[in-house]
Amino acid sequence: MNETVSSTPSETLGFQAEVKQLLHLMIHSLYSNKEIFLRELVSNASDACDKLRFEAIDNAALLEGDGELAIRVDYDKAARTITISDNGIGLTRDEAIANLGTIARSGTKEFFSKLTGDKQKDAQLIGQFGVGFYSSFIVADKVTVITRRAGTPAEDAVRWESDGQGEFTIAAADKATRGTDVILHLRADEDELLSGWKLREILRRYSDHISLPIRMAKEEWDAEKNEQVKKEELETVNQANALWTRAKGDITDEQYKEFYKHVAHDYDDPLAWTHNRVEGRSEYTQLLYVPKHAPMDMWDRDGRRGVKLYVKRVFIMDDAEQLLPSYLRFVRGVIDSADLPLNVSREILQESRDVRAIREGSAKRILSLLEDMAENRKDDYVTFWNEFGQVLKEGTGEDSSNLERIAKLLRFASTNAGDDTQSVSLADYVSRMKEGQDKIYYVTGESYAAASNSPHLEIFRKKGIEVLLLWERVDEWMLSYLREFEGKSLVSVAKGGLDLDALADEEEKKRQADVQEEFKPLVERLKTALGDKVADVRVTLRLVDSPACVVVGQNDLSPNLLRMLKAAGQQAPDVKPTLEINPEHALVQRIRDAGDGDFSQWAELLLDQAMLAEGGQLSDPAGFVKRLNALLLKAA
Ligand code: ADP
Ligand code: MG
């Protein structure tokens, strides 16, 4: 042999800091559920075979004459090892260093910043992160990976090894067959895993859904040795057909859940799923899941999203985001098309009519699933809404064809409840509307506190009219699409021209007419004093406890939206507010009596405090403080 090959040295490298942390956390928090290591390794073996099959569509040579993809599980009692092998894509040296030494997933940083050091809380979090390859170290104190990338020569294989303490070694190796062997050297107490019976049990429980055969050696009882002994012959220990192609009645909930964990790389159970074979213009099978929690990367543009695409049971790609509208990007699962070509690319997906049909069909199925949950599994729907409500709201603008259905699924906080829980549907609201009320009222603010304390709510509280409270970023955008629900328009209470007449009784109407007259002089004086700082000044009966508020025209952008636009560095039109004053308020009456000397100070103070109560910013905060202090001193 050539010198240089045999003397290729092994190199020792450090794990990324996060990997060390993850390993430590995982070993301690997942020990009680340690058997999942096998599910994770089999899941990876299956993914590796999928990847090979996909690359081989364009490059059949990668199969090296062996197109029968399979996973092999074996154990060695004497050596105390378990080996999981696949003949999938394998890893190059660089890939092994990158994929088995770091965590490349987006959202990793956020995940680690959330860890508290409290074992129980962190144990919950780790479930959300997904565990993967590193879960091997729950049962093994040394892991050896021998792997060869398909299409590379036998002597280019790689040997990766680690005790999970912070470093790994990487060295050249020789491997006749392509793919990967993961060899677990078990920890001292894990001997019960060295049993064909035990391993079969774990595989059936967690990995039955894997569509490739998982093979193990047949065993028979050896009376002389008084134990099971392995035979040469192999047998398949799982059903080895694609789960979604089976009839629904033949699939248990447990199998659906385990399949979810594999496709979603999630440790937790899903919240709900829908499984259908669709026939007609376009033919496909869909098995779609709603997760229980948002992935770390849901708001990350490069995050994993979308579903796995298969064509006639052949894996085509992960994360096929074109198969679902973006507001359903939290959905995971598989879609298996009977119509798309095997060599379909992402570009083709974007234009294909079949894909459009799939996308529309999938959206409808998910909406049905959510409707069913909202109706029959209310607690689960609360979980869903808290995790994904903000994303679903995007659907109001993105999917106008389903606007009505999406509107019914929305949940809001309202003045009816005392806290920020979003649990009121538009239908609930409508069912509680007062006699004579024909509009759905809402208020937007920067936060729940800002919205729920808005002075605009005073009259509504007094009259017992419910108002929806909105404060999430997406809300203003949503409201520009969601203009009505069941024929009732959605109206902001912070806009002028609120027509509450229908809700006022005769006495109130008369009082309103009286104060208009009575306060005309004050209104005129305020207009003069405030000049072009306001669009108008008028008397209102919408206030109870506050002396004044600002409103914008029915067609103007709301102050909250203007603030958001400005914060985002966007051009925002200059909308002048209308000042509305409360004739019943002692302060307003005091101002009416103010002499000309103080009047302009009072006028500006009234406007500034109304702006502040709205959550707005003052153009001259220092001036406000000065005026306030001057008037306070006078009063003292
Ligand atoms: P995930 O499966 O969610 O990507 P894992 O921690 O399970 O995360 O695996 C990390 C990466 O290691 C995989 O994405 C893959 O690139 C690589 N890997 C793990 N096992 C195998 C295998 N048997 N064959 C090829 N690559 C593998
Ligand atoms: Mg994995």
Side-chain angles (χ1 to χ4, degrees):
M1 270 241 98
N2 179 320
E3 277 269 344
T4 47
V5 170
S6 56
S7 68
T8 305
S10 87
E11 196 182 335
T12 301
L13 297 165
F15 282 124
Q16 181 192 21
E18 281 85 356
V19 175
K20 268 192 274 184
Q21 242 180 309
L22 181 70
L23 281 168
H24 185 78
L25 186 65
M26 186 144 48
I27 292 163
H28 291 93
S29 58
L30 294 184
Y31 189 76
S32 58
N33 198 9
K34 62 187 178 185
E35 293 169 353
I36 53 117
F37 79 90
L38 193 53
R39 168 183 89 196
E40 295 300 325
L41 296 179
V42 166
S43 172
N44 286 349
S46 167
D47 285 346
C49 291
D50 279 348
K51 281 181 202 155
L52 173 63
R53 193 147 45 186
F54 176 60
E55 283 194 19
I57 293 172
D58 283 342
N59 182 5
L62 289 179
L63 294 174
E64 300 171 13
D66 169 23
E68 221 230 311
L69 302 172
I71 299 164
R72 169 89 203 269
V73 176
D74 198 6
Y75 65 98
D76 180 334
K77 264 192 159 157
R80 303 192 60 261
T81 58
I82 294 174
T83 301
I84 296 92
S85 307
D86 64 69
N87 56 355
I89 192 76
L91 294 160
T92 63
R93 181 189 156 91
D94 287 349
E95 287 168 340
I97 293 174
N99 298 332
L100 307 179
T102 62
I103 307 170
R105 248 171 297 169
S106 52
T108 301
K109 268 221 166 61
E110 290 87 315
F111 171 74
F112 284 95
S113 68
K114 279 194 194 158
L115 296 179
T116 57
D118 175 329
K119 280 207 181 111
Q120 286 208 309
K121 278 191 199 143
D122 291 352
Q124 295 263 312
L125 276 175
I126 198 170
Q128 300 188 14
F129 191 70
V131 289
F133 170 76
Y134 300 110
S135 66
S136 334
F137 289 100
I138 303 173
V139 296
D141 52 18
K142 185 166 87 176
V143 176
T144 310
V145 178
I146 299 173
T147 183
R148 171 159 78 77
R149 185 74 159 84
T152 64
E155 62 271 21
D156 278 3
V158 182
R159 177 193 176 88
W160 177 103
E161 194 165 83
S162 177
D163 61 3
Q165 297 291 320
E167 290 176 336
F168 60 92
T169 60
I170 192 132
D174 217 87
K175 187 174 185 299
T177 52
R178 67 156 191 267
T180 304
D181 300 335
V182 178
I183 304 156
L184 308 180
H185 307 264
L186 296 183
R187 291 180 187 275
D189 301 334
E190 306 297 349
D191 286 53
E192 68 158 346
L193 292 169
L194 295 169
S195 137
W197 177 83
K198 181 73 185 167
L199 291 172
R200 278 174 172 76
E201 186 209 40
I202 301 175
L203 288 169
R204 281 197 205 103
R205 173 135 37 100
Y206 294 118
S207 305
D208 186 64
H209 59 78
I210 293 289
S211 50
L212 301 172
I214 304 170
R215 298 202 175 112
M216 289 186 68
K218 279 191 174 167
E219 297 192 3
E220 65 185 359
W221 184 252
D222 185 323
E224 228 160 87
K225 289 189 184 160
N226 199 22
E227 62 176 14
Q228 290 284 114
V229 292
K230 290 191 283 184
K231 300 204 288 185
E232 284 291 307
E233 210 184 332
L234 297 181
E235 65 181 356
T236 299
V237 301
N238 62 331
Q239 291 196 46
N241 58 16
L243 180 105
W244 61 91
T245 62
R246 299 180 206 164
K248 283 193 206 184
D250 296 344
I251 309 173
T252 65
D253 283 1
E254 285 314 313
Q255 287 169 331
Y256 273 122
K257 289 177 188 172
E258 289 307 329
F259 181 69
Y260 163 78
K261 293 174 186 177
H262 168 59
V263 286
H265 300 263
D266 192 354
Y267 176 82
D268 252 343
D269 285 341
L271 199 55
W273 59 85
T274 174
H275 180 194
N276 317 283
R277 184 159 313 157
V278 181
E279 274 153 17
R281 187 152 60 91
S282 162
E283 211 174 302
Y284 58 94
T285 301
Q286 56 189 185
L287 173 50
L288 303 175
Y289 293 88
V290 175
K292 209 179 256 177
H293 55 78
M296 299 291 160
D297 54 14
M298 190 166 68
W299 302 104
D300 191 325
R301 281 184 176 278
D302 318 317
R304 269 181 185 165
R305 56 192 47 176
V307 296
K308 273 183 197 262
L309 172 65
Y310 284 74
V311 172
K312 300 182 193 80
R313 298 179 200 192
V314 176
F315 171 76
I316 303 297
M317 65 178 80
D318 276 315
D319 311 337
E321 52 191 83
Q322 297 83 354
L323 300 182
L324 283 168
S326 154
Y327 72 98
L328 298 178
R329 61 182 173 274
F330 51 84
V331 170
R332 295 290 176 268
V334 302
I335 286 176
D336 188 345
S337 161
D339 310 316
L340 291 169
L342 276 173
N343 61 355
V344 67
S345 64
R346 284 188 195 271
E347 290 69 38
I348 294 178
L349 282 188
Q350 244 145 31
E351 273 137 44
S352 153
R353 279 184 46 213
D354 291 318
V355 170
R356 200 173 329 131
I358 293 175
R359 184 165 55 226
E360 284 165 12
S362 301
K364 291 210 154 65
R365 287 293 180 174
I366 292 295
L367 292 176
S368 304
L369 184 65
L370 296 177
E371 284 159 2
D372 179 64
M373 213 196 298
E375 182 73 24
N376 302 310
R377 293 162 56 197
K378 294 203 171 9
D379 288 350
D380 285 343
Y381 195 72
V382 170
T383 305
F384 163 77
W385 183 261
N386 290 337
E387 291 292 318
F388 303 114
Q390 287 197 60
V391 187
L392 192 72
K393 283 175 178 177
E394 294 174 12
T396 53
E398 191 188 339
D399 190 356
S400 52
S401 64
N402 286 310
L403 180 56
E404 253 170 74
R405 295 181 72 179
I406 296 167
K408 283 191 184 141
L409 290 167
L410 301 174
R411 294 294 179 269
F412 301 89
S414 99
T415 50
N416 223 41
D419 59 29
D420 62 354
T421 319
Q422 298 179 7
S423 60
V424 176
S425 70
L426 291 172
D428 293 338
Y429 182 99
V430 169
S431 73
R432 290 197 284 257
M433 279 173 38
K434 294 271 162 194
E435 202 165 311
Q437 182 185 350
D438 58 355
K439 297 191 174 65
I440 297 172
Y441 295 106
Y442 67 83
V443 64
T444 57
E446 244 171 12
S447 61
Y448 166 72
S452 66
N453 291 320
S454 166
H456 298 293
L457 295 178
E458 291 171 6
I459 184 69
F460 291 87
R461 286 217 164 92
K462 187 175 161 197
K463 289 187 175 290
I465 298 171
E466 186 170 6
V467 178
L468 302 177
L469 307 172
L470 293 96
W471 65 89
E472 285 171 350
R473 288 192 69 91
V474 60
D475 289 337
E476 294 280 1
W477 189 77
M478 170 181 76
L479 288 162
S480 65
Y481 294 96
L482 185 68
R483 309 307 282 258
E484 57 146 57
F485 177 74
E486 290 179 354
K488 303 185 171 57
S489 46
L490 274 80
V491 173
S492 164
V493 300
K495 292 201 168 167
L498 253 194
D499 182 12
L500 296 174
D501 275 2
L503 295 161
D505 55 31
E506 284 311 309
E507 201 179 321
E508 282 173 321
K509 282 182 187 158
K510 178 161 182 315
R511 167 100 188 103
Q512 193 149 12
D514 289 351
V515 294
Q516 294 294 353
E517 265 314 296
E518 192 185 336
F519 281 79
K520 220 177 205 162
L522 176 61
V523 165
E524 288 309 318
R525 276 175 89 196
L526 284 169
K527 272 190 204 168
T528 317
L530 293 171
D532 62 2
K533 291 198 174 103
V534 291
D536 197 7
V537 179
R538 59 184 177 233
V539 173
T540 180
L541 292 179
R542 73 163 98 205
L543 296 171
V544 178
D545 303 318
S546 303
C549 67
V550 287
V551 298
V552 295
Q554 200 52 250
N555 297 318
D556 285 337
L557 301 181
S558 78
N560 190 46
L561 182 56
L562 286 173
R563 262 194 307 280
M564 278 167 52
L565 288 175
K566 281 185 189 149
Q570 298 207 29
Q571 277 241 324
D574 220 7
V575 179
K576 277 191 199 145
T578 291
L579 182 69
E580 294 195 349
I581 57 168
N582 176 2
E584 314 279 359
H585 201 279
L587 191 67
V588 172
Q589 292 173 357
R590 165 81 184 69
I591 295 172
R592 188 168 54 166
D593 303 333
D596 279 345
D598 290 342
F599 189 80
S600 71
Q601 277 189 329
W602 279 116
E604 291 205 27
L605 197 68
L606 211 52
L607 176 62
D608 283 350
Q609 61 154 284
M611 295 290 283
L612 280 178
E614 198 60 43
Q617 291 199 338
L618 302 181
S619 51
D620 176 18
F624 166 72
V625 173
K626 229 187 202 158
R627 280 190 291 278
L628 183 66
N629 288 340
L631 291 167
L632 280 174
L633 277 174
K634 265 190 197 162

